[in-house]
């Protein structure tokens, strides 16, 4: 595996290998000394053109715990703020002899483009509204820890589908793992062409959250991305919560074994109530913990010569 640009790049066996290795990497977090020598002598640059807390921090921790040299570069404070192009920035960093780049960019397809310009391994850490493959991997890992094999399991992904890169990667990955997926959202937050995509890839669509909830093994709530919204996608925040929020009352509809997920950051009180975020079935903090382990596994496979 040279790069990780899309969840579609991964076969079922490759996903299994990454998640199995992630389980081993997860044990490192419980050690007093959190360090492995696997990537000693390797250099990884985290190149982030958008704000991030969880993804950027977890990639940095992952690289350091594998003994790689990790450098963080953000658009603010770099030559990008002076007008340098993405191509020149990528080529400049590659010319320094780095082994890998972890890229988050506001433009869909940016990491794919960089992969054509440089020889370093490229990891897509989120590109526009397109994809976020390591998020899908850590989501699958978290669900597997609670539910076991995801073959035949029913996962509902609920909320702002139009602006979410998480939903696309999860659809691709969960299909490969054999899960059944239902997307739930108001019509205004259903992406263009979603009906044809659903027919082609075998997932289902619904606007009735209450009808779907009792049938799921896992429910993933998506953040309402206000910063990407330029129009009226729903009348009021209250209206959205009433119809599509995971509220205290809706918890009663959720099966006892079901898992609650959220890729973060959360809008508490909008798409998810505090009761839901903090209750026993919530795996939201488990997702954060899994993020480090999964990204350690991805960096190991790309840079450690394991695959």
């Amino acid at each position: 595996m040279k790069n990780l640009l899309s969840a579609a790049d991964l076969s079922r066996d490759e996903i299994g290998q990454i998640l199995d290795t992630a389980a081993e990497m997860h044990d490192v977090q419980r050690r007093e000394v959190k360090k492995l020598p696997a990537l000693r002598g390797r250099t990884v640059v985290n190149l982030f053109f958008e704000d991030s807390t969880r993804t950027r921090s977890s990639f940095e921790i992952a690289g350091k715990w594998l003994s790689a040299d990790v450098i963080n570069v953000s658009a603010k404070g770099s030559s990008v703020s002076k007008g340098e192009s993405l191509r020149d920035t990528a080529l400049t960093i590659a010319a320094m002899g780095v082994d890998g780049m972890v890229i988050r960019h506001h433009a869909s397809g940016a990491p794919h483009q960089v992969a054509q310009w440089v020889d370093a391994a490229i990891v897509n850490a989120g590109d526009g509204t397109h994809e976020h493959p390591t998020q899908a991997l850590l989501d699958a890992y978290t669900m597997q820890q609670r539910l076991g094999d995801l073959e035949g399991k029913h996962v509902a992904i609920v909320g702002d589908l139009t602006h979410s890169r998480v939903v696309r990667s999860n659809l691709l990955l969960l299909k490969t793992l054999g899960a059944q997926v239902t997307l739930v959202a108001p019509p205004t937050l259903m992406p263009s062409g979603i009906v044809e995509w659903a027919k082609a890839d075998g997932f289902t669509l619904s606007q009735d959250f209450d009808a779907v909830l009792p049938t799921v093994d896992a429910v993933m709530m998506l953040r309402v991305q206000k910063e990407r919204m330029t129009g009226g996608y729903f009348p009021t925040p209250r209206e959205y919560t009433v119809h599509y929020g995971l509220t205290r009352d809706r918890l009663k509809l959720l099966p006892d074994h079901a898992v609650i997920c959220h890729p973060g950051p959360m809008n508490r009180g909008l798409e998810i109530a505090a009761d839901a975020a903090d209750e026993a079935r919530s795996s939201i903090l488990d997702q954060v913990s899994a993020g480090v382990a999964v990204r350690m596994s991805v960096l190991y496979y790309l840079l450690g010569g394991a695959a």
Side-chain angles (χ1 to χ4, degrees), residues 140-151 153 177 259:
Y141 177 89
T142 303
M143 287 186 277
Q144 282 188 356
Q145 294 299 298
R146 292 282 191 100
L147 301 172
D149 190 350
L150 297 183
E151 179 76 39
K153 296 295 192 297
L177 293 176
V259 181

Side-chain angles (χ1 to χ4, degrees), residues 17-146:
Q17 289 175 353
I18 290 171
L19 298 187
D20 288 346
T21 302
E24 298 176 17
M25 298 296 186
H26 217 160
D27 291 337
V28 176
Q29 293 174 251
R30 304 180 184 97
R31 297 182 186 177
E32 185 175 348
V33 178
K34 301 175 177 65
K35 206 77 166 177
L36 295 173
L39 297 185
R40 184 179 295 153
R42 300 284 194 172
T43 302
V44 179
V45 173
N46 292 331
L47 185 58
F48 276 59
F49 294 85
E50 283 188 323
D51 294 337
S52 171
T53 300
R54 292 159 185 76
T55 304
R56 179 170 170 170
S57 298
S58 62
F59 266 114
E60 182 175 2
I61 293 170
K64 289 181 175 179
W65 283 359
L66 290 170
S67 300
D69 295 310
V70 181
I71 300 166
N72 291 319
V73 177
S74 62
K76 298 171 185 175
S78 74
S79 294
V80 173
S81 62
K82 300 177 182 178
E84 185 173 66
S85 69
L86 173 62
R87 184 175 187 274
D88 286 336
T89 298
L91 290 173
T92 298
I93 292 172
M96 297 177 186
V98 305
D99 300 289
M101 295 186 203
V102 178
I103 300 176
R104 169 166 287 190
H105 200 278
H106 52 80
S108 298
H112 296 70
Q113 189 64 66
V114 173
Q116 297 177 35
W117 293 330
V118 304
D119 291 330
I122 304 298
V123 181
N124 180 359
D127 60 330
T129 57
H130 182 228
E131 273 211 60
H132 196 351
T134 59
Q135 180 68 47
L137 284 165
L138 74 87
D139 291 340
Y141 177 89
T142 303
M143 287 186 277
Q144 282 188 356
Q145 294 299 298
R146 292 282 191 100

Side-chain angles (χ1 to χ4, degrees), residues 123-188:
V123 181
N124 180 359
D127 60 330
T129 57
H130 182 228
E131 273 211 60
H132 196 351
T134 59
Q135 180 68 47
L137 284 165
L138 74 87
D139 291 340
Y141 177 89
T142 303
M143 287 186 277
Q144 282 188 356
Q145 294 299 298
R146 292 282 191 100
L147 301 172
D149 190 350
L150 297 183
E151 179 76 39
K153 296 295 192 297
H154 184 198
V155 180
I157 304 178
V158 185
D160 187 358
L161 307 177
T162 293
H163 302 102
S164 176
R165 51 191 165 215
V166 172
V167 67
R168 182 180 295 271
S169 288
N170 266 287
L171 278 171
L172 293 167
L173 197 82
L174 290 170
K175 178 185 177 183
T176 303
L177 293 176
Q180 301 172 11
V181 180
T182 300
L183 301 186
V184 183
T188 52

